[in-house]
Amino acid sequence: MTSATEPTEPLSVEQLSATTLLRFATAGSVDDGKSTLVGRLLHDSKSVLTDQLEAVERVSADRGQDTPDLALLTDGLRAEREQGITIDVAYRYFATARRRFILADTPGHVQYTRNMVTGASTADLAVVLVDARNGVIEQTRRHAAVAALLRVPHVVLAVNKMDLVGYRESVFAVIAEEFTAYASELGVPEITAIPISALAGDNVVEPSANMDWYGGPTVLEHLETVPVSHDLAHCHARLPVQYVIRPQTAEHPDYRGYAGQIAAGTFRVGESVTVLPSGRTSQVAGIDLLGTPVDIAWTPQSVTLLLTDDIDVSRGDLLVPSKDAPPTTQDVEATVCHVADQPLTVGHRVLLKHGTRTVKAIVKDIPSRLTLDDLSLHPHPGRLAANDIGRVKIRTAEPLPLDSYADSRRTGAFILIDPSDGTTLTAGMVGESFAAPQPVKDEGDEDGWDF
Amino acid sequence: MTTAATVSEAAGDSGNSGPYALSHLDALESEAVHIFREVAGEFERPVVLFSGGKDSIVMLHLALKAFAPAPVPFSLLHVDTGHNFPEVLEYRDRTVAAHGLRLHVASVQDYIDRGVLKERPDGTRNPLQTVPLTEKIQSERFDAVFGGGRRDEEKARAKERVFSLRDEFSQWDPRRQRPELWQLYNGRHAPGEHVRVFPLSNWTELDVWQYIARERIELPEIYFAHEREVFQRAGMWLTAGEWGGPKESETTEKRQVRYRTVGDMSCTGAVDSDATTLDAVIAEIAASRLTERGATRADDKMSEAAMEDRKREGYF
């Protein structure tokens, strides 16, 4: 524990500026050692500072604990410290010379599903922990299924507590193979399995001397090198209009720009664009990248688009290339995770927020509820309770330009809001649930997966 | 650092992130601008908390960029403790004038003079800010209040949402927060309630400094090393001044110091430093083994849950 107080090698200003950002989420059951892994990553990357560590040591000592409880670094709320559990998603920040990290630290407690869905919604990578002694258990399959549902591009299986199984390769190989087969079946595109001991520090930051048979990266090495951007040339370009910028000043009497964060793909000056849902068309006359004119811009840049024609465009509209416009529809079919305590029922009148547009909607049908443990389907449950995942059919009051979540994690996603009190009810993903066409057989239906 | 890290320069870095990667500062900037524009699009009367400290200065800079070439569509609000650094007040007024902004001031001293608030025995006015702040929000009917809080600052703040609903008493209930999914921020609120918005949630202290350097943002000079009359209290260097320090038992001395945070003079400590330039400050922060608040804020040391408790009552 003393290493945190030693001075680190300061990074040069150039090094500090050249880094990229990786957002990742962790998932693990209560005793899988997730807090220890998070603590180890923060600690061994020298991201825990002296005063934070001293506070942890002081509180641990006051409670009569022999060693500092690293979970105290992450349990920020009074109720969490009192109960010794993590209630809610917390975000942690650490950096190496190569990259900056935002870690969505999701609790492994009973309310796991909505918390993991929340953390995974913005994650480029998910770390799923298993206890090497227990192997792949129900909870592991659940975590893999959430990562697959949310289409997290990279999944790391961290087989923890290797020290308790004699660092045996055979133990790791069996678990890695079972998990990889399961997650691949669900359509997880990239899976990396790493044998670790979070407690002893094997393969977390430093390579393990106890597992010569493992030739892959440590957890931190993998986090530092995994690609964060994709080939955007083949993505559907999408710009949800947030705000119309009209200075109406002497200097800029005619400026009319459509501001927004590019949700997917790239936009170029000269390109023909269509405004949805109206269907009006124009051309990109210019792109302002926060004050700098550019010829091309891409996700997730916040930009302002100028068009050649003075057509009606306002907040809530979606700008898309004319050659690549999504269909608009008032009938949404989606997989959802219910995140509120009050249930979602058939006939529920809700608000649906998609991109920058919020419309009235009604829940027409809940055809099935999904049990994540074994991916079995419960037909027509009538309602979804907190943490439930299911299929829903929603009718919206106005047409929406919807992408499939498989094509765009931003323009294929929506939330449902309770119009009476503003509660965020449900997280929704348009289209097929999993990437694989038929991951499992429906227990009650010979025809199989009917999502 | 004299040149801005542009998108095209950053695109080639790391060797593993492809042609369309953004540098982490560009990604954080883009996200913060998105948050500002969401609020502009969905709220009636937003206001930006502006103290003249580096985080609020960065917020204002981001807001200026988000709406350019139009003016920032928000007014500013300063909670004036009455124990401010003169350099910071001067900076505040100059900045407001330069951008043609409107500044609201909620004054702790007024509340003390009227007998509504009582001076604390320790002379610290930071906790006294909550009442003037929340009453100003109510009386001006602000429905969105931007704060410069960062999740890396403190462990209760690590639990804070980007859009954080406050009830009609401005209270934060950490157990009843809305899950935040994707970038779909939910700003729905009832009349009398408001939403605190934190565009810098995902920034760290170092990010803020790197961004200040990249964008060449001017700061109050107390952020850079200078000679100052200070005295020691509870392990921190405090500035002598009319706010009530030093006591008879405390002696002042001249030291070369700078500030990592700017707040009430009675509880914001200076750190020994010879960093007179942005590069030197960044190098110093990168090597520091103390957090910003641990090094310079007395009020957070009062109890294990000091920040959580203040935030529950409506503190920013």
Side-chain angles (χ1 to χ4, degrees):
Chain A
M1 298 303 293
T2 51
S3 60
T5 57
E6 292 164 8
T8 53
E9 193 68 27
L11 303 175
S12 73
V13 170
E14 289 72 27
Q15 276 177 318
L16 290 165
S17 303
T19 55
T20 49
L21 191 61
L22 180 81
R23 296 172 194 253
F24 73 106
T26 54
S29 318
V30 176
D31 296 319
D32 285 346
K34 190 173 64 64
S35 291
T36 316
L37 174 64
V38 171
R40 174 68 59 189
L41 276 173
L42 295 174
H43 182 264
D44 289 6
S45 66
K46 310 267 197 290
S47 302
V48 181
L49 300 185
T50 309
D51 53 319
Q52 294 170 317
L53 202 57
E54 280 171 3
V56 166
E57 284 166 350
R58 193 172 58 239
V59 174
S60 301
D62 288 350
R63 290 181 181 175
Q65 291 167 306
D66 295 339
T67 52
D69 181 358
L70 285 182
L72 291 170
L73 283 172
T74 54
D75 289 343
L77 300 175
R78 198 181 271 281
E80 290 177 323
R81 287 190 298 276
E82 282 164 7
Q83 297 172 44
I85 56 159
T86 313
I87 291 172
D88 202 347
V89 184
Y91 294 86
R92 315 276 160 213
Y93 303 85
F94 65 100
T96 66
R98 306 179 76 162
R99 200 167 255 180
R100 285 261 293 100
F101 301 96
I102 300 178
L103 160 57
D105 187 13
T106 64
H109 200 242
V110 281
Q111 291 152 353
Y112 44 77
T113 307
R114 60 180 163 193
N115 285 320
M116 190 183 162
V117 165
T118 301
S121 71
T122 51
D124 304 307
L125 179 147
V127 178
V128 175
L129 260 107
V130 302
D131 184 327
R133 295 169 302 176
N134 304 330
V136 174
I137 57 172
E138 271 181 19
Q139 183 99 325
T140 317
R141 281 193 284 272
R142 214 175 282 148
H143 294 146
V146 171
L149 267 180
L150 272 290
R151 314 246 173 191
V152 178
H154 309 275
V155 170
V156 172
L157 173 74
V159 180
N160 191 24
K161 307 195 185 182
M162 287 299 293
D163 52 320
L164 300 182
V165 295
Y167 294 109
R168 287 203 307 279
E169 181 177 13
S170 56
V171 175
F172 170 73
V174 168
I175 297 170
E177 195 180 316
E178 185 182 350
F179 181 86
T180 304
Y182 183 80
S184 306
E185 215 181 322
L186 294 175
V188 173
E190 196 202 277
I191 302 149
T192 305
I194 305 175
I196 68 166
S197 166
L199 195 65
D202 294 282
N203 288 337
V204 177
V205 173
E206 299 296 329
S208 171
N210 298 307
M211 291 179 274
D212 293 342
W213 47 265
Y214 175 73
T218 66
V219 173
L220 187 64
E221 269 168 21
H222 183 66
L223 294 174
E224 283 184 312
T225 52
V226 73
V228 287
S229 66
H230 308 283
D231 181 12
L232 297 177
H234 298 102
C235 286
H236 310 288
R238 303 287 185 256
L239 180 77
V241 176
Q242 282 190 288
Y243 193 74
V244 181
I245 294 179
R246 292 183 63 205
Q248 295 178 293
T249 54
E251 205 184 335
H252 302 281
D254 301 319
Y255 188 100
R256 186 181 169 87
Y258 306 105
Q261 187 174 27
I262 299 176
T266 61
F267 282 90
R268 285 181 168 80
V269 173
E271 197 168 20
S272 293
V273 288
T274 297
V275 184
L276 294 174
S278 74
R280 291 184 186 87
T281 58
S282 184
Q283 277 189 325
V284 179
I287 304 174
D288 275 354
L289 180 65
L290 304 182
T292 309
V294 292
D295 293 330
I296 177 172
W298 59 87
T299 182
Q301 291 178 334
S302 279
V303 296
T304 306
L305 249 53
L306 304 160
L307 302 183
T308 51
D309 306 285
D310 207 3
I311 56 174
D312 178 13
V313 185
S314 58
R315 176 174 169 83
D317 287 341
L318 187 71
L319 290 173
V320 301
S322 299
K323 61 179 175 1
D324 180 25
T328 59
T329 178
Q330 286 177 258
D331 292 295
V332 184
E333 293 195 45
T335 303
V336 300
C337 175
H338 192 62
V339 297
D341 289 332
Q342 66 259 44
L344 187 76
T345 54
V346 174
H348 211 132
R349 286 176 186 277
V350 294
L351 296 169
L352 185 155
K353 184 170 185 185
H354 169 253
T356 53
R357 193 176 194 87
T358 304
V359 298
K360 287 183 183 171
I362 185 164
V363 179
K364 298 297 270 188
D365 192 13
I366 303 179
S368 57
R369 190 181 71 223
L370 174 68
T371 304
L372 281 179
D373 303 344
D374 59 1
L375 300 177
S376 63
L377 294 174
H378 182 289
H380 299 287
R383 61 181 358 219
L384 294 175
N387 296 303
D388 278 354
I389 286 178
R391 292 290 290 180
V392 296
K393 292 182 176 174
I394 298 164
R395 173 84 179 167
T396 59
E398 298 165 47
L400 292 175
L402 292 178
D403 283 302
S404 160
Y405 187 75
D407 288 339
S408 168
R409 288 176 79 196
R410 278 189 80 162
T411 50
F414 62 85
I415 56 172
L416 300 182
I417 297 169
D418 187 325
S420 67
D421 64 1
T423 303
T424 299
L425 296 170
T426 306
M429 292 155 281
V430 178
E432 296 296 317
S433 305
F434 295 104
Q438 288 194 324
V440 288
K441 291 287 181 191
D442 177 1
E443 56 177 4
D445 183 352
E446 290 291 311
D447 296 337
W449 195 255
D450 64 356
F451 272 16
Chain B
M1 180 152 56
T2 51
T3 55
T6 64
V7 170
S8 54
E9 281 167 5
D13 73 14
S14 311
N16 57 47
S17 296
Y20 294 112
L22 296 190
S23 76
H24 81 279
L25 284 182
D26 286 323
L28 291 172
E29 178 188 59
S30 177
E31 177 183 71
V33 165
H34 174 251
I35 293 162
F36 273 108
R37 289 168 169 177
E38 277 299 280
V39 170
E42 295 215 327
F43 291 81
E44 294 291 322
R45 263 181 82 72
V47 69
V48 181
L49 290 174
F50 187 79
S51 65
K54 65 183 185 309
D55 299 311
S56 58
I57 289 170
V58 166
M59 280 213 299
L60 179 59
H61 183 84
L62 288 162
L64 288 163
K65 289 185 91 166
F67 302 101
V72 174
F74 317 126
S75 54
L76 304 184
L77 168 60
H78 183 217
V79 183
D80 183 342
T81 63
H83 288 162
N84 295 293
F85 293 93
E87 301 93 324
V88 176
L89 284 185
E90 188 272 327
Y91 180 96
R92 177 196 79 178
D93 294 336
R94 189 155 44 83
T95 304
V96 166
H99 300 295
L101 295 162
R102 180 168 175 216
L103 176 74
H104 304 267
V105 178
S107 161
V108 172
Q109 189 63 52
D110 277 359
Y111 277 74
I112 292 172
D113 293 346
R114 285 191 280 128
V116 181
L117 287 175
K118 283 200 175 67
E119 197 86 78
R120 296 161 51 97
D122 61 6
T124 294
R125 287 188 171 180
N126 228 21
L128 301 183
Q129 294 181 81
T130 302
V131 171
L133 168 68
T134 56
E135 290 197 0
K136 187 60 113 181
I137 290 168
Q138 295 297 330
S139 67
E140 292 285 339
R141 297 169 177 270
F142 294 127
D143 55 359
V145 181
F146 288 100
R150 308 188 317 265
R151 290 181 183 137
D152 83 316
E153 277 182 83
E154 207 277 337
K155 55 189 182 298
R157 284 213 160 132
K159 297 278 176 179
E160 180 70 271
R161 298 292 184 263
V162 174
F163 273 41
S164 178
L165 184 66
R166 302 301 171 101
D167 67 13
E168 60 194 307
F169 303 100
S170 294
Q171 294 178 122
W172 181 61
D173 184 348
R175 303 188 83 158
R176 296 189 60 80
Q177 300 192 84
R178 292 171 179 166
E180 251 165 20
L181 297 138
W182 298 284
Q183 286 79 13
L184 294 167
Y185 300 111
N186 176 358
R188 306 287 296 191
H189 60 283
E193 297 177 341
H194 70 277
V195 175
R196 297 282 172 91
V197 183
F198 300 99
L200 306 184
S201 284
N202 288 324
W203 298 49
T204 64
E205 182 186 17
L206 198 51
D207 296 329
V208 167
W209 278 105
Q210 286 177 252
Y211 189 72
I212 287 166
R214 187 184 92 167
E215 301 284 306
R216 300 179 204 179
I217 301 169
E218 191 205 337
L219 292 181
E221 56 250 46
I222 67 169
Y223 278 113
F224 300 96
H226 57 287
E227 290 251 308
R228 181 177 279 268
E229 284 277 336
V230 291
F231 65 94
Q232 197 157 40
R233 182 180 293 174
M236 293 195 316
W237 294 112
L238 298 182
T239 291
E242 288 177 9
W243 58 269
K247 295 175 190 160
E248 272 179 30
S249 57
E250 296 163 330
T251 52
T252 62
E253 56 183 287
K254 239 191 182 141
R255 292 184 80 87
Q256 167 106 335
V257 295
R258 67 172 203 90
Y259 283 85
R260 279 175 78 174
T261 65
V262 161
D264 185 88
M265 282 173 98
S266 60
C267 63
T268 305
V271 293
D272 286 317
S273 171
D274 51 14
T276 54
T277 63
L278 278 173
D279 275 4
V281 169
I282 290 170
E284 192 178 280
I285 304 274
S288 172
R289 302 312 302 155
L290 287 178
T291 65
E292 174 182 347
R293 302 196 80 88
T296 66
R297 287 299 180 96
D299 46 331
D300 290 332
K301 295 179 177 167
M302 288 190 279
S303 87
E304 176 73 2
M307 176 65 85
E308 179 183 347
D309 294 344
R310 284 209 309 279
K311 278 170 62 64
R312 279 174 179 275
E313 288 168 19
Y315 190 80
F316 32 88

